[in-house]
Amino acid sequence: MVGAVLVLLVLSVLQLGLALHVRNTVTDAAAEGAGMRRSAEDRSRAGPSGHGS
């Protein structure tokens, strides 16, 4: 009985760690994508010469 509770506790902690890892990975990817979009928008506003107007 105690062993089953211990296994359940360990698996729960591992699941929580995996969920937090996935959340942090998705958040980081979204932030990086937003930064890339902002950089692309800045380049498109600068025009073909690369300088702002």
Side-chain angles (χ1 to χ4, degrees):
M1 178 68 178
V2 174
V5 172
L6 186 60
V7 168
L8 182 63
L9 181 64
V10 169
L11 291 177
S12 298
V13 169
L14 288 174
Q15 184 67 35
L16 178 62
L18 178 63
L20 290 174
H21 172 69
V22 169
R23 187 191 73 175
N24 289 337
T25 301
V26 170
T27 302
D28 185 50
E32 186 174 344
M36 291 178 76
R37 178 179 176 164
R38 184 172 302 139
S39 175
E41 287 175 352
D42 289 345
R43 282 194 306 271
S44 69
R45 279 194 212 116
S49 66
H51 301 340
S53 50

